Amino acid sequence: MNPKPTRRTVLIAGAAAAFLPALPAQAAAAATPASGATADLQPYASYWYPDSLPSGSPGPGITWRSLKTWRAATDTDLAFNAASVPLAPRFAPTPVNTTARAGQARIQSLVSFGPTSSNPSQGSATADAYALTHWAYIDELVFWGGSAGEGLILAPNAPIVDAAHRHGVPVLGNIFLPPAAYGGQLQWTRDLVQKDATGHHPLAAQLVAVAAAYGFDGWFVNAETGGGDSALGADMLGFVSELKQRAAARGQRVTWYDAMTVNGSVSWQGALNSRNQAFFQTADDMFVDFRWSADSLASSADKAVELARSRYELWAGVDVESNGSGTSVEWDAIVPSDTAHVTSIGLYRPEWTRNHLPSGHTPEDFHAADDRFWTGRSLDPSRPDPTDGWRAPAVSVADRSTVTSLPFASVFNTGHGLRWYEDGEVTSATPWNHLGLQDRLPSRRWVVRTDGQRPTVRFDFADAWRGGSSLLVDGALDRPAVLDLYATRLPIGPDTVVELTHRTDAGTVGIELAVATAEPGAAGAAPPYTYLPVPGGNGDGWRTSTVRLTGLSGTVHAIG
């Protein structure tokens, strides 16, 4: 008989090549209002009407503003709303499974991170937040929101932009002209597309100026107020054309939502066709409304190619707001497994992974649901479950990474926590969220290679070395297990070292650093790791060990 394996628990606080970074200054703002202001005076994410304001008075906590009169010089909250992290370049490593493809379908994510008004600029004193971490599969994030009673044009929070940019994901602000049933007024559409005496669209210039000042990457245009005519349709097309021209000059993007047609009416097509192709040709890409079918997506892809555009510049809308990973989707119409992908995927409201949870849920509950959504039922992208009705992004779309330069460091901080730690000690017992403090996180969660029992791997919020979370590996190991952490392109020099802070809470564990200096031989294959012993005892608290990359040269392609 084999003896019963001993349960082993290892907390990995962080890994650093060379040095850990200094704590960003925004950390203090995560739980307290900026500049010592009271909570009702703290800065919030910005939102506007195009020009004219509603009749009457705004509700409590709501400020009505006109974008036409906005000026950076008089925006008192700009310092708290401006992102500080540039958009990082990223690369696609060899796919972790044989079903995920690089260079085909991409993912656009439309997320409502909070209400239109009273959405704090710099985090808040709660761990209950949509702390998105699966950036590796996303190509464009839309800061979704807007309402007739608050404002229609939303600029994304700086922490969200900083976290997205750190992972190479551009972020778009949202322009929402709601249907009349939701309070939409056609005057607001006319305000948006108005012309000045020179024939230009002043709101196009304002939108580009806002994105430049705030540090995000462009705009998502969603015109759903009905009642327009062909003249308004022509004005909207001219507005989008000027917006795109001005945006491109500043390195920004414009996405069009399939709603208004060229004749000015609102008629969701669920396809790219003659009624909306002028808007698609003017914009960078288009979100195809949920009314699509397999035939309409196939014809849309063909139409895009006829227009000398990529079929993957079409996002096929998938509404997951109500059922999340339980949503029934005709996946083969978008990302068939046996032929080329038809279009890209537009995920509408994936923050279901937080919103559907019962009251009193924990950060661990959220991340379990989020991992299920993005990775699939197997919770290991290297071995997708073929019987899973939810075709998770990791099954079809190759992940990307931005880990390309030294120094590189991570303490696996997810951007929210139940408390704040420094050197393994609690320095604040206040729950918090601030995505701007999020580290670059492993893109493949979680790949474990073993011939024995598979340990559980997750972010742990009960203890950490620094920030609000650490990485927990927990299980009754009976064979060695290899945990993939980061796909990288890091140069190795004569003085390159890796510092690993870790702790063993149960059992006897031997830890080795896995370093690969080449890509796997094929999709789904393991990285060709070299294993380097990590000094350290068991059960003796947090320990930082230094590992020299002796005998290795060239470029680090993977760390585990």
Side-chain angles (χ1 to χ4, degrees):
M1 286 181 66
N2 291 326
K4 182 179 180 180
T6 302
R7 188 169 193 84
R8 296 166 170 86
T9 302
V10 181
L11 281 168
I12 303 174
F19 302 98
L20 288 173
L23 180 66
Q26 297 100 316
T32 58
S35 303
T38 59
D40 59 338
L41 294 178
Q42 75 173 61
Y44 295 108
S46 295
Y47 52 95
W48 302 269
Y49 293 91
D51 189 358
S52 60
L53 304 178
S55 58
S57 301
I62 298 172
T63 302
W64 286 347
R65 308 177 183 89
S66 165
L67 180 65
K68 189 174 181 179
T69 62
W70 174 85
R71 300 291 183 273
T74 56
D75 186 341
T76 56
D77 287 343
L78 179 58
F80 304 102
N81 283 326
S84 59
V85 176
L87 182 63
R90 58 185 186 172
F91 65 92
T94 301
V96 72
N97 58 55
T98 58
T99 59
R101 305 179 197 167
Q104 294 191 27
R106 305 175 298 143
I107 291 177
Q108 181 190 65
S109 189
L110 278 59
V111 177
S112 176
F113 287 89
T116 295
S117 60
S118 302
N119 191 343
S121 296
Q122 292 288 330
S124 60
T126 176
D128 183 16
Y130 181 61
L132 172 60
T133 60
H134 287 275
W135 301 102
Y137 303 108
I138 300 174
D139 275 87
E140 189 169 278
L141 177 73
V142 177
F143 188 74
W144 183 260
S147 74
E150 297 169 283
L152 310 176
I153 300 170
L154 277 67
N157 306 56
I160 293 167
V161 178
D162 285 343
H165 281 187
R166 195 170 285 126
H167 293 87
V169 177
V171 182
L172 304 188
N174 192 44
I175 302 169
F176 178 47
L177 301 169
Y182 295 97
Q185 300 178 23
L186 199 59
Q187 181 58 45
W188 291 330
T189 303
R190 296 191 175 102
D191 286 347
L192 182 69
V193 303
Q194 65 183 272
K195 299 178 184 177
D196 60 21
T198 67
H200 289 288
H201 297 269
L203 271 297
Q206 286 289 81
L207 288 164
V208 171
V210 166
Y214 281 58
F216 59 93
D217 306 286
W219 294 97
F220 184 94
V221 184
N222 178 18
E224 294 192 78
T225 309
D229 55 17
S230 58
L232 186 61
D235 286 342
M236 177 62 78
L237 184 59
F239 164 79
V240 174
S241 178
E242 183 170 344
L243 177 63
K244 172 63 169 63
Q245 182 181 16
R246 290 179 178 273
R250 301 297 296 270
Q252 300 171 18
R253 302 176 52 78
V254 176
T255 293
W256 177 257
Y257 182 86
D258 163 30
M260 178 182 277
T261 62
V262 290
N263 67 7
S265 66
V266 172
S267 177
W268 300 269
Q269 299 297 295
L272 170 63
N273 58 30
S274 61
R275 303 190 70 185
N276 57 26
Q277 75 175 51
F279 289 111
F280 171 65
Q281 287 179 279
T282 302
D284 288 286
D285 41 40
M286 185 174 80
F287 186 100
V288 178
D289 183 73
F290 314 114
R291 293 162 175 80
W292 56 263
S293 66
D295 287 343
S296 75
L297 284 188
S299 65
S300 297
D302 292 341
K303 172 69 75 173
V305 173
E306 289 175 13
L307 298 173
R309 297 284 295 273
S310 169
R311 62 177 59 205
Y312 304 121
E313 291 170 353
L314 296 171
W315 315 99
V318 177
D319 185 352
V320 295
E321 181 180 15
S322 298
N323 295 309
S325 52
T327 304
S328 177
V329 182
E330 190 178 355
W331 289 114
D332 283 340
I334 312 173
V335 284
S337 56
D338 54 353
T339 58
H341 293 164
V342 179
T343 67
S344 289
I345 302 169
L347 294 174
Y348 178 75
R349 308 296 299 277
E351 74 275 15
W352 170 90
T353 57
R354 167 186 172 266
N355 294 346
H356 84 288
L357 296 172
S359 60
H361 64 266
T362 66
E364 287 90 347
D365 294 333
F366 160 68
H367 286 285
D370 212 47
D371 287 352
R372 167 73 177 94
F373 182 94
W374 292 94
T375 300
R377 186 162 56 199
S378 72
L379 301 179
D380 184 337
S382 69
R383 50 184 191 94
D385 182 349
T387 67
D388 189 356
W390 172 252
R391 194 171 298 177
V395 175
S396 301
V397 178
D399 60 292
R400 272 68 49 86
S401 171
T402 63
V403 183
T404 59
S405 63
L406 296 175
F408 163 67
S410 173
V411 291
F412 303 106
N413 189 11
T414 58
H416 66 152
L418 300 172
R419 53 195 69 86
W420 186 272
Y421 294 83
E422 291 287 346
D423 297 339
E425 301 292 333
V426 176
T427 57
S428 172
T430 302
W432 62 277
N433 71 85
H434 191 293
L435 277 184
L437 301 180
Q438 186 181 88
D439 285 319
R440 280 180 288 179
L441 297 170
S443 59
R444 300 168 171 181
R445 300 211 293 278
W446 298 96
V447 175
V448 178
R449 308 177 196 276
T450 181
D451 295 329
Q453 297 188 46
R454 186 183 190 275
T456 298
V457 184
R458 62 177 174 85
F459 294 121
D460 182 59
F461 294 84
D463 209 344
W465 173 252
R466 183 168 171 269
S469 51
S470 57
L471 180 60
L472 176 67
V473 182
D474 183 21
L477 296 178
D478 56 355
R479 296 285 296 161
V482 180
L483 169 63
D484 289 358
L485 287 179
Y486 287 96
T488 67
R489 293 291 187 270
L490 298 175
I492 300 176
D495 300 319
T496 303
V497 299
V498 175
E499 292 181 349
L500 183 71
T501 300
H502 55 101
R503 191 180 85 197
T504 303
D505 286 355
T508 300
V509 180
I511 301 177
E512 296 177 314
L513 179 71
V515 180
T517 57
E519 286 290 289
Y529 284 128
T530 296
Y531 299 99
L532 305 172
V534 175
N538 291 278
D540 53 358
W542 290 108
R543 173 186 295 265
T544 299
S545 302
T546 300
V547 181
R548 294 192 172 276
L549 305 188
T550 304
L552 301 180
S553 60
T555 300
V556 175
H557 286 250
I559 298 173

